[in-house]
Amino acid sequence: MNRPESAWLRRPRPQRHPAVRLLCLPHAGGSTALYRSWKDLLPPEIEPVLVCPPGREDRMDEPLPKELPELVAGLARAVEPLLDRPWAVFGHSMGATVAHELVLRLLRGRHRAPEHLFVSAREAPQHHRGGTVHLLDDDALAAELIRLGGTSPELLAMAEVRGLVLPAVRGDYRLIETYAADPQGPVPCPLTALIGEADTELTAEEAAGWEKWTTGPFQLLTFPGGHFYLSDRPRAVVDAVRRRLLIPA
């Protein structure tokens, strides 16, 4: 990972003095595309900052992290210059785990606490399950992505697309499936967990377990849809985020 730290971040609507900067972290194998529509949905007071991990978009040639703490450390260095303003973080699926660990790492570095932590479609650490998806062959890994609903089956049928997409997916699954799930404490800010009511990857009880990981207010929000409910209803999700960041409509 020898690119400038700014390579981690995309700022589609950069602002010098936003009320809040919102870091948006993707799922395993995901990219900034998951949040691209948010720049037109968020109010001007909230600046979206989209996180692009190594191995995708213009970072295809970069080596993938070998462990989740390595990923978190690189991201922490990248976001530090933006913490001069109030900030919050939204992570989806694997991105929720990365978001939690990122907040804890930045707090250990004596940075200001975030205004809010949003964890989407992810069970709480005490319910973490490892796995072997990263060991599947390409056909089985592609089938898993199709089952979750986050990737077009037509695209995954194309060999050249698989060659571009699957290495990052496999690498991310390895990170999250071998994750030790031993965060060093709760966060000192409000925490909201969001899930799709038809998500087969976790239960409402597992998502509600995030309450243990904050010393502030906690809320569990449920939306229609499955694991990628936020792609189906981005406006509803963005409105929920806006309300919890205390930005009036």
Side-chain angles (χ1 to χ4, degrees):
M1 288 183 283
N2 53 6
R3 290 280 188 89
E5 289 163 359
S6 59
W8 285 83
L9 308 176
R10 307 289 183 268
R11 299 173 67 187
R13 204 182 63 202
Q15 296 171 246
R16 292 185 62 184
H17 303 293
V20 183
R21 286 192 172 113
L22 178 64
L23 307 177
C24 301
L25 281 64
H27 53 287
S31 70
T32 61
L34 182 66
Y35 299 104
R36 211 160 282 157
S37 67
W38 285 31
K39 69 179 178 64
D40 297 320
L41 299 174
L42 286 166
E45 297 88 351
I46 302 176
E47 181 194 350
V49 180
L50 314 185
V51 172
C52 179
R56 62 218 80 195
E57 298 183 23
D58 61 352
R59 306 187 73 190
M60 297 289 291
D61 60 337
E62 297 185 46
L64 300 172
K66 294 181 173 57
E67 296 180 337
L68 194 130
E70 180 185 349
L71 174 70
V72 173
L75 178 56
R77 288 191 296 271
V79 304
E80 282 177 345
L82 298 182
L83 303 184
D84 60 322
R85 302 294 302 168
W87 64 287
V89 57
F90 186 108
H92 181 68
S93 196
M94 171 183 164
T97 296
V98 176
H100 184 206
E101 291 285 5
L102 174 68
V103 171
L104 293 174
R105 184 181 183 91
L106 291 170
L107 290 173
R108 290 195 298 271
R110 301 190 179 280
H111 290 285
R112 69 195 302 162
E115 302 299 304
H116 211 111
L117 171 60
F118 298 92
V119 291
S120 168
R122 188 73 192 168
E123 69 272 11
Q126 67 269 29
H127 299 298
H128 172 71
R129 298 178 292 274
T132 57
V133 172
H134 67 286
L135 300 176
L136 298 175
D137 63 28
D138 283 358
D139 287 344
L141 184 56
E144 175 67 8
L145 296 183
I146 293 169
R147 182 186 70 83
L148 289 174
T151 311
S152 164
E154 291 76 18
L155 286 177
L156 287 175
M158 303 168 64
E160 61 271 28
V161 174
R162 285 193 185 198
L164 292 173
V165 171
L166 292 188
V169 172
R170 189 181 304 281
D172 282 357
Y173 267 99
R174 184 181 69 249
L175 295 185
I176 196 62
E177 290 181 336
T178 61
Y179 167 61
D182 186 26
Q184 300 303 299
V187 296
C189 67
L191 191 157
T192 296
L194 307 89
I195 59 171
E197 62 184 5
D199 190 345
T200 59
E201 299 304 294
L202 77 165
T203 66
E205 290 178 334
E206 290 171 337
W210 280 103
E211 185 172 12
K212 172 183 175 181
W213 298 96
T214 178
T215 59
F218 172 80
Q219 190 171 16
L220 174 64
L221 303 179
T222 302
F223 296 83
H227 195 63
F228 285 93
Y229 70 92
L230 74 174
S231 295
D232 299 330
R233 292 171 175 79
R235 185 175 296 279
V237 176
V238 168
D239 283 348
V241 169
R242 173 188 55 74
R243 288 194 298 270
R244 279 149 190 85
L245 292 177
L246 305 179
I247 306 295

